[in-house]
Amino acid sequence: MKTVYRAFFADSGCSLITIVSNRVEKHSLSQTDQDELRPSKLWTAKIKHCVNVVEASQANRLVATDTNGRHFGLCSKTGDILWQSASIGEGDPGLIVKYQSKLSWSQEVFVFATWSGVLQRLDPTSGKEIEKPTDFLSQFRGLQLTSDPQRLFVTCLVPAKSDSDPVGETLNLLDLKTNKIREVVSNTFSRGINVSPTGRKALFVYLADGASGLISDRSERWEIKDIETGSTLCERTFAPKEFFSPNAVWSPNGQFVATSNKVGHLVFSADTLETVVSVEGQQAERPVFHPSGTHICLCRANDTKIVPMHMLKT
């Protein structure tokens, strides 16, 4: 594969969905004798300004979202666009959850939150609203799954402490049944929160001041915290001007955290935040782990590859 902006594994890891320019593409995957996963393109769907795609496996749909919060329901087998929603506003990636709604029992639901705090629920099969959008007072960032399909983690923005500080963030639980929000880790004021697959730990990213005290010399400080107690399990401060937090992802078993920066991809130990491996690459984008954790897709310009994890370890 050449340049890939975003990717994720579908069909229980048997397929790869990629966003390339203004196209969504699906690839089947075959395993070679060298344990590599080799992609073969199945179809292409043209969607302008597409930024995210999620899979509704029960409905046989892929739900793609553009920069204006317009959603497109694609047939997973053919790539045909079967429905399109109205624009609701920019937001982070939506999620597919199974929960008991007012109209149905244990159905798949596409849940999307705009940055302005509007929560949307759509039927991924038809694109129809399951419930009317709910307007919250908080500004929302990334929705993340929990072990309870009735609840989601959501990051809420809070005002900056001073003119020189960034807007802060807090980690909260959103009850989809009652539409109530409860803060679970207080006073974090981070600039990025990423929950582990188990839901017990989270990566919190902060801005760290350099020796000069100048904003231009700031870097990132990463802390992995226990969500229940709020205690810090490990932390690391990176070199000045080293920024890559928006692209951080956990491995399925919670053993690693992978990300990208201006020179390539990095994989860290989730126990110590020490660098496990660094892979150079131009215009590196968010990596994605295979559901089994055995492989990782390194999205980058001209040379996107799916690499076995055992070949990366040093």
Side-chain angles (χ1 to χ4, degrees), residues 266-313:
L266 300 98
V267 180
F268 305 103
S269 164
D271 293 327
T272 63
L273 286 180
E274 293 179 358
T275 303
V276 175
V277 70
S278 177
V279 183
E280 293 184 359
Q282 294 182 345
Q283 299 176 28
E285 296 286 352
R286 181 183 300 155
V288 58
F289 284 97
H290 189 274
S292 66
T294 57
H295 294 71
I296 186 171
C297 181
L298 304 177
C299 299
R300 54 196 179 186
N302 303 318
D303 189 27
T304 294
K305 287 185 177 179
I306 305 172
V307 184
M309 287 295 294
H310 68 79
M311 292 180 61
L312 290 179
K313 294 181 182 180

Side-chain angles (χ1 to χ4, degrees), residues 2-209:
K2 294 186 177 181
T3 301
V4 172
Y5 169 68
R6 286 284 185 269
F8 80 93
F9 291 94
D11 300 324
S12 300
C14 296
S15 305
L16 185 74
I17 309 298
T18 60
I19 300 176
V20 184
S21 185
N22 289 320
R23 307 187 308 277
V24 176
E25 297 180 344
K26 183 173 184 178
H27 310 258
S28 62
L29 298 175
S30 58
Q31 193 158 2
T32 68
D33 293 338
Q34 291 74 37
D35 200 26
E36 296 178 351
L37 293 179
R38 196 166 286 171
S40 299
K41 190 187 300 183
L42 296 173
W43 52 253
T44 298
K46 293 183 178 180
I47 300 177
K48 288 185 177 181
H49 311 301
C50 181
V51 288
N52 295 300
V53 182
V54 295
E55 179 189 25
S57 57
Q58 181 178 304
N60 189 32
R61 296 286 186 272
L62 300 171
V63 181
T65 303
D66 68 14
T67 53
N68 291 318
R70 183 182 295 107
H71 312 300
F72 303 80
L74 282 65
C75 175
S76 181
K77 292 182 178 179
T78 65
D80 293 333
I81 299 176
L82 304 177
W83 58 262
Q84 176 179 328
S85 73
S87 172
I88 195 171
E90 291 181 286
D92 289 330
L95 298 172
I96 299 294
V97 300
K98 280 189 177 182
Y99 75 102
Q100 179 185 341
S101 71
K102 295 177 181 177
L103 302 178
S104 179
W105 289 83
S106 189
Q107 70 175 98
E108 281 185 326
V109 179
F110 174 68
V111 181
F112 179 78
T114 70
W115 291 341
S116 62
V118 177
L119 191 73
Q120 183 182 42
R121 301 172 176 89
L122 300 179
D123 180 345
T125 302
S126 63
K128 294 182 179 179
E129 288 184 347
I130 291 176
E131 297 180 20
K132 290 185 178 180
T134 305
D135 196 350
F136 291 81
L137 296 178
S138 300
Q139 289 182 294
F140 286 163
R141 287 302 182 266
L143 293 176
Q144 299 177 71
L145 295 171
T146 73
S147 58
D148 181 355
Q150 296 281 355
R151 295 180 177 181
L152 297 175
F153 285 113
V154 61
T155 300
C156 295
L157 300 190
V158 292
K161 295 180 178 179
S162 69
D163 292 340
S164 61
D165 288 320
V167 173
E169 297 178 335
T170 58
L171 183 64
N172 303 264
L173 275 175
L174 167 64
D175 191 311
L176 293 172
K177 204 171 183 179
T178 63
N179 287 331
K180 292 183 178 180
I181 296 178
R182 176 175 63 85
E183 189 173 299
V184 292
V185 180
S186 61
N187 300 322
T188 57
F189 268 85
S190 62
R191 65 183 298 268
I193 304 174
N194 202 312
V195 180
S196 72
T198 64
R200 297 175 182 173
K201 299 186 292 185
L203 168 66
F204 291 79
V205 180
Y206 303 87
L207 286 178
D209 290 326

Side-chain angles (χ1 to χ4, degrees), residues 209-231:
D209 290 326
S212 68
L214 298 175
I215 294 177
S216 58
D217 286 336
R218 283 177 168 174
S219 60
E220 286 186 353
R221 186 179 83 255
W222 285 23
E223 293 186 19
I224 291 182
K225 295 177 181 286
D226 182 289
I227 289 179
E228 185 176 352
T229 65
S231 60

